Amino acid sequence: KAGVTQTPRYLIKTRGQQVTLSCSPISGHRSVSWYQQTPGQGLQFLFEYFSETQRNKGNFPGRFSGRQFSNSRSEMNVSTLELGDSALYLCASSLVPAGGLGEQYFGPGTRLTVT
Amino acid sequence: GEDVEQSLFLSVREGDSSVINCTYTDSSSTYLYWYKQEPGAGLQLLTYIFSNMDMKQDQRLTVLLNKKDKHLSLRIADTQTGDSAIYFCAESGTNFGNEKLTFGTGTRLTIIP
């Protein structure tokens, strides 16, 4: 069974640009969560989608947005990039909503560098 | 809000047991997890424990939960060089609309040959 895949794996952008990251969950999983990992802030929850609906959102500015498609694939978008957005962005999928009975399985991440 | 704390570093001799500790503040936490992250990789779910359990054992891994003190530990028996990684504990609740994981800062485990 294929794991969670994220594309691209590495990305370099300049300040002010926007970026779109993609996540394909494990087959059959309907929940996709996004996390930002930085050395200073650790792992922080961005948002979760389940059956194309955003169920929960972390404490990030409106520049961070996401969506989920009918095949459960998810994208996250960051507009007007800032240097502080440089991070590893991790996607996780689970059968049911995250937390509770939802064991989350993580992808390898997308390393975003903003210059 | 929820808060999860871990010590940042742990060094253990190969063959000894490693014990990684974690404390959390959310008394409504329902599940507590341990994840492993190797360099350049995403997070790998190692094990989890339901909040009404005190202990869970899975091969070399033993999880202990003290719900009264909100303390979670992960014991790795017979630590090997392949266990070198960052270990994260995480907690979650089942409150509708709050289905997310809150992670600790991670503990970097270094194995001394």
Side-chain angles (χ1 to χ4, degrees):
Chain A
K1 195 175 194 181
V4 178
T5 56
Q6 292 186 245
T7 56
R9 291 292 312 278
Y10 302 92
L11 205 49
I12 300 175
K13 291 284 190 178
T14 55
R15 276 179 297 176
Q17 287 187 312
Q18 70 142 17
V19 67
T20 299
L21 312 182
S22 179
C23 171
S24 293
I26 291 171
S27 177
H29 284 193
R30 294 165 63 192
S31 168
V32 173
S33 298
W34 289 89
Y35 294 85
Q36 181 196 64
Q37 185 177 27
T38 59
Q41 299 295 320
L43 272 159
Q44 292 190 291
F45 172 77
L46 279 156
F47 28 65
E48 186 208 359
Y49 288 87
F50 181 79
S51 294
E52 301 177 67
T53 302
Q54 187 181 87
R55 288 181 60 86
N56 201 0
K57 191 177 190 306
N59 190 25
F60 278 81
R63 299 185 297 106
F64 291 81
S65 63
R67 58 179 176 167
Q68 186 180 34
F69 302 95
S70 57
N71 62 358
S72 293
R73 190 178 70 86
S74 176
E75 289 181 348
M76 67 163 279
N77 183 277
V78 188
S79 62
T80 320
L81 283 165
E82 299 176 1
L83 294 179
D85 298 332
S86 295
L88 180 66
Y89 290 88
L90 292 165
C91 160
S93 79
S94 56
L95 270 172
V96 296
L101 294 172
E103 297 176 35
Q104 288 191 310
Y105 296 88
F106 282 77
T110 294
R111 171 77 60 188
L112 171 65
T113 302
V114 182
T115 62
Chain B
E2 306 93 353
D3 193 24
V4 180
E5 292 191 358
Q6 301 176 238
S7 53
L8 292 179
F9 302 99
L10 177 66
S11 295
V12 174
R13 292 204 175 276
E14 190 174 0
D16 288 352
S17 292
S18 306
V19 179
I20 304 170
N21 295 301
C22 169
T23 57
Y24 59 98
T25 59
D26 187 1
S27 57
S28 68
S29 295
T30 304
Y31 284 87
L32 296 125
Y33 303 81
W34 284 103
Y35 283 86
K36 176 183 181 183
Q37 186 177 35
E38 294 179 272
L43 274 69
Q44 174 194 355
L45 177 63
L46 287 177
T47 186
Y48 63 93
I49 189 167
F50 189 49
S51 60
N52 69 353
M53 298 169 65
D54 298 323
M55 185 183 88
K56 181 178 180 181
Q57 189 157 0
D58 184 0
Q59 299 183 333
R60 291 192 299 124
L61 305 179
T62 303
V63 179
L64 294 177
L65 175 60
N66 181 328
K67 197 173 179 182
K68 173 175 167 289
D69 294 338
K70 299 190 184 71
H71 181 267
L72 181 75
S73 68
L74 173 70
R75 178 175 177 270
I76 305 172
D78 188 25
T79 309
Q80 303 298 308
T81 54
D83 295 324
S84 291
I86 301 176
Y87 290 80
F88 292 91
C89 72
E91 61 88 21
S92 72
T94 53
N95 297 326
F96 182 83
N98 190 33
E99 299 95 349
K100 65 179 176 71
L101 295 183
T102 301
F103 284 87
T105 52
T107 299
R108 182 179 295 276
L109 176 62
T110 301
I111 312 305
I112 305 165

